[in-house]
Amino acid sequence: MTLGTALSTARNSLKTSSGQMSVVSQNIGGARDTNYTHRTTHVQSGANGMVSSKVIRDDNPELLTNYLVKSSQSAAAAAINNGANQLSNIYGTNDFENSPSRLLDDFKKALQFYANNPSQRTAGDAAIDKAKDLANTLNAGSKAIEKIRTDTDSEIKDSVDHINDLLKQFQQVEKEIVNEKGSGRDGYAYMDQRDAILKELSQEIGITTVTHPDGTMSIYGMDDSTLYDKVPRQVSFSPSGPLPAGKAGSPVLVDGVPLSHDAFNSPNGSGKLGGLLKVRDETAPQYQKQLDEIANALTDIFKGPPALFEGGDETQVTGTAGRISVNPAFDSNTADGGPEKLGKDIQKLIDNLDKPRNFGNDTGLDNTQSITSYSKQSLSWIEGVRQSATSDNEYKSTMFSRAGEALSNETGVNTDDEMALMLQLEQTYSATARIITTVGKMLDDLMSAVR
């Protein structure tokens, strides 16, 4: 090897080492950024001692896809769990002392005491007070469910707005990636930003992606609707306003087409949006129906005349829990009012509380049973929903955490490894620099000898 060739090779090596150190510095700088993907410099030897290098972004599309799925499933489970806890907490405080089941038992006991002591008007007044407590707790429960649904509706609006904002951001980043590639640059920094947007988007809605030959992407929603293809598609939602019993919430539209509720079961997850829709449109209304059925049964059992409970409607059960009240005619504080209007056959009324009757469909409970057992089953149902949602949330959260760890281990930065590589590169750089210095001195000596 001539001195000139040795010098050229050393200089090429020095340039390559310098480039590698720059990439390692980038990696170390991005170590704390969870969206930064590790870069590796691949060095290749060519003819005449020439060395070339290429920087590769160590992405893993399969692990990223798994992360997006687990992210969406976890976000949906968290939203459902939050909604289930809110519904459970309507009556779940203080050992369910204000639940319809507990207050129905109290009312039944007070009625039995009055039936055993019909001459004691105070016993009758106590029974009427328990009836008022029962009606009031049904009213409160109906209002609480309405508020939960209305608040959830507002969260759906926030989620849709966030989705649209993320899709706009995605479009801007896609443009930068195309521009970078068109200029001969790698665009890796923008690819990191694109992955970050996808991760955030998957929290809001279940998504799948398709990468095209030019490096751009298309994004599809949890029901296979197109969210992004060259340009963002419009996701729209009009707030529903107050949501009393029986009122359906407004749908979420993607390009004008309603998002299907079947998408809740998508294997790719449904995200926070899907979880919120499930709470607003399925879980909460089903619980509302149960309370309405309890209230309607009470108005039927005590229909009199005169009726003890008012607000019932044989043709319209929906909303009875919010309307039910105790007839003032049974209140001793009103003119000519009093518990005597229950009549003499109070025991028959008490027995009817334990007799099987028919309840409506689509409540999640048995259709034929007594109102006493129905109210207890309703309480068990909502607690079962809460426990199931909590368990599912914990599981999905764990799986999401593991997916994040797997992605980070594969594509993230190990600072220790990078520092060790940096030290190795510095030693190579120093050795190469010494070679250049030595060759330079030899060339100087040769020139001096020639002169």
Side-chain angles (χ1 to χ4, degrees):
M1 178 185 292
T2 66
L3 292 178
T5 302
L7 184 61
S8 177
T9 300
R11 284 176 176 173
N12 199 14
S13 176
L14 197 67
K15 181 181 178 181
T16 301
S17 296
S18 179
Q20 286 180 288
M21 285 192 286
S22 176
V23 172
V24 171
S25 296
Q26 272 188 312
N27 286 337
I28 293 173
R32 293 189 178 182
D33 183 355
T34 56
N35 296 309
Y36 179 87
T37 298
H38 182 266
R39 276 74 149 156
T40 300
T41 305
H42 289 261
V43 180
Q44 293 179 328
S45 299
N48 299 322
M50 294 299 292
V51 177
S52 62
S53 63
K54 183 178 181 181
V55 179
I56 302 297
R57 182 172 179 263
D58 298 323
D59 61 340
N60 189 311
E62 290 78 15
L63 287 179
L64 177 60
T65 297
N66 183 59
Y67 177 95
L68 298 178
V69 170
K70 295 300 187 287
S71 169
S72 179
Q73 292 174 343
S74 177
I80 293 171
N81 182 54
N82 181 56
N85 277 316
Q86 290 183 63
L87 291 169
S88 175
N89 288 338
I90 292 174
Y91 297 124
T93 57
N94 300 321
D95 196 27
F96 307 100
E97 65 179 7
N98 290 317
S99 67
S101 176
R102 182 71 65 84
L103 293 181
L104 180 59
D105 279 344
D106 291 345
F107 173 51
K108 181 179 174 183
K109 290 175 183 176
L111 273 181
Q112 188 65 66
F113 186 78
Y114 182 42
N116 295 338
N117 302 276
S119 61
Q120 295 186 20
R121 198 178 203 216
T122 55
D125 288 337
I128 299 304
D129 286 341
K130 294 298 182 183
K132 291 178 181 178
D133 290 342
L134 181 54
N136 289 338
T137 204
L138 288 167
N139 296 160
S142 185
K143 282 186 177 180
I145 293 174
E146 177 182 338
K147 184 177 186 306
I148 289 170
R149 292 187 69 213
T150 303
D151 290 347
T152 302
D153 194 75
S154 296
E155 291 185 68
I156 290 171
K157 179 65 169 67
D158 292 341
S159 180
V160 168
D161 288 344
H162 194 198
I163 289 170
N164 284 318
D165 182 57
L166 289 171
L167 292 175
K168 290 177 183 178
Q169 292 180 39
F170 190 87
Q171 183 183 29
Q172 292 302 315
V173 172
E174 281 269 277
K175 288 180 179 179
E176 295 295 345
I177 292 174
V178 172
N179 290 338
E180 288 290 291
K181 288 195 170 187
S183 301
R185 295 183 290 270
D186 55 45
Y188 290 162
Y190 292 109
M191 290 182 183
D192 287 345
Q193 292 181 34
R194 183 172 66 180
D195 285 355
I197 293 171
L198 288 174
K199 290 176 182 178
E200 195 170 349
L201 184 62
S202 69
Q203 285 280 297
E204 298 296 335
I205 185 172
I207 59 172
T208 56
T209 62
V210 174
T211 303
H212 303 296
D214 62 354
T216 60
M217 279 186 177
S218 294
I219 307 174
Y220 301 95
M222 59 188 185
D223 61 345
D224 294 328
S225 55
T226 302
L227 295 176
Y228 181 92
D229 187 19
K230 305 300 182 184
V231 295
R233 301 300 174 87
Q234 183 64 34
V235 183
S236 57
F237 175 75
S238 299
S240 311
L243 286 169
K247 181 180 177 181
S250 301
V252 174
L253 306 177
V254 180
D255 263 357
V257 179
L259 192 65
S260 169
H261 279 207
D262 293 339
F264 294 152
N265 299 318
S266 167
N268 296 310
S270 58
K272 180 182 178 182
L273 178 61
L276 293 172
L277 287 168
K278 189 173 183 68
V279 170
R280 188 197 69 175
D281 298 339
E282 293 185 6
T283 310
Q286 195 167 31
Y287 194 32
Q288 175 73 63
K289 287 179 182 178
Q290 294 173 12
L291 297 188
D292 288 342
E293 288 291 338
I294 292 171
N296 188 66
L298 286 171
T299 61
D300 183 59
I301 292 171
F302 294 90
K303 60 186 176 183
L308 173 60
F309 293 101
E310 298 180 321
D313 185 341
E314 292 183 2
T315 62
Q316 181 59 280
V317 176
T318 302
T320 307
R323 299 189 301 263
I324 192 171
S325 63
V326 172
N327 189 340
F330 291 82
D331 192 338
S332 294
N333 295 320
T334 61
D336 299 324
E340 296 85 4
K341 288 185 168 56
L342 285 169
K344 295 182 179 180
D345 201 357
I346 299 175
Q347 188 60 51
K348 182 179 179 181
L349 296 174
I350 297 171
D351 293 341
N352 285 341
L353 293 174
D354 290 320
K355 283 186 177 180
R357 57 182 296 111
N358 294 324
F359 291 92
N361 299 320
D362 302 324
T363 65
L365 308 181
D366 295 338
N367 292 354
T368 303
Q369 56 182 314
S370 70
I371 185 176
T372 302
S373 63
Y374 190 90
S375 63
K376 290 178 180 178
Q377 195 178 81
S378 175
L379 193 62
S380 298
W381 179 86
I382 191 59
E383 281 305 289
V385 168
R386 181 191 63 79
Q387 291 174 9
S388 177
T390 298
S391 176
D392 189 55
N393 182 47
E394 290 174 352
Y395 174 74
K396 296 288 176 57
S397 177
T398 300
M399 296 304 292
F400 175 43
S401 178
R402 290 178 180 174
E405 290 174 2
L407 181 63
S408 177
N409 291 339
E410 184 71 20
T411 65
V413 176
N414 185 310
T415 307
D416 292 339
D417 290 346
E418 296 302 310
M419 292 300 293
L421 179 58
M422 178 64 82
L423 181 60
Q424 180 183 339
L425 289 171
E426 287 175 348
Q427 291 171 346
T428 301
Y429 187 93
S430 297
T432 304
R434 286 196 297 271
I435 291 173
I436 292 174
T437 301
T438 301
V439 172
K441 186 175 182 303
M442 292 173 68
L443 286 171
D444 289 342
D445 291 343
L446 179 62
M447 294 302 294
S448 296
V450 171
R451 286 196 293 267

